Amino acid sequence: HVQLVESGGGSVQAGQSLRLSCAISGVASESYCIGWFRQAPGKEREGVAVIDSDGLAKYADSVKGRFTISQDNSKNTVYLQMDNLKPEDTAMYYCAAPKSGARCDITGAYWVNYWCQGTQVTVS
């Protein structure tokens, strides 16, 4: 049974950084792709970044050059480093994993089978 536990949200000022962590249990992180989504009040859920089992990353245009997704297989953890944060980055952030063998797709959440509990990021 796959479980995702997220940590690292908080409140920061514009231009500052935060790092989110998604600790994975029940499966080896190197065998799974992981995605990060976010949802702001009144807005649709948005794919932010995904990383596949080979370490290939993709990003939403809105965060390219500012956010970095990475994985530490020794810790079974995926990270989302968020630099130069903007007020429009304010949202609940979620990490997500698919069923075994499915591919992650930044354009939508149709492939998601497991969600973490979410963490709030507020940028003022």
Side-chain angles (χ1 to χ4, degrees), residues 3 6-7 9 11-14 19 33 43 47 50 59 61 68 72-73 82 87-88 93-95 98 102 118 121:
Q3 287 190 308
E6 186 176 4
S7 61
S11 296
V12 297
Q13 294 187 333
R19 188 178 77 162
C33 62
K43 294 188 176 181
V50 298
Y59 300 92
D61 288 343
T68 304
D72 185 338
N73 294 331
M82 304 184 294
E88 51 264 43
Y93 283 72
Y94 302 88
C95 61
V121 171

Side-chain angles (χ1 to χ4, degrees), residues 5-117:
V5 178
E6 186 176 4
S7 61
S11 296
V12 297
Q13 294 187 333
Q16 292 185 327
S17 300
L18 281 174
R19 188 178 77 162
L20 305 183
S21 300
C22 179
I24 305 158
S25 62
V27 68
S29 62
E30 62 263 28
S31 65
Y32 258 62
C33 62
I34 294 291
W36 289 93
F37 289 83
R38 67 185 181 186
Q39 188 164 21
K43 294 188 176 181
E44 292 188 356
R45 181 171 49 205
E46 174 188 22
V48 176
V50 298
I51 188 166
D52 68 18
S53 57
D54 294 326
L56 181 65
K58 294 183 180 180
Y59 300 92
D61 288 343
S62 57
V63 306
K64 276 181 183 176
R66 300 188 298 119
F67 289 14
T68 304
I69 188 171
S70 62
Q71 58 190 46
D72 185 338
N73 294 331
S74 68
K75 296 181 179 179
N76 233 30
T77 299
V78 173
Y79 303 98
L80 185 69
Q81 177 67 39
M82 304 184 294
D83 297 321
N84 190 22
L85 282 160
K86 302 177 180 180
E88 51 264 43
D89 295 319
T90 296
M92 282 291 288
Y93 283 72
Y94 302 88
C95 61
K99 291 181 180 179
S100 177
R103 295 190 64 182
C104 296
D105 182 353
I106 199 169
T107 65
Y110 59 89
W111 50 271
V112 176
N113 201 51
Y114 305 100
W115 291 98
C116 69
Q117 77 280 15

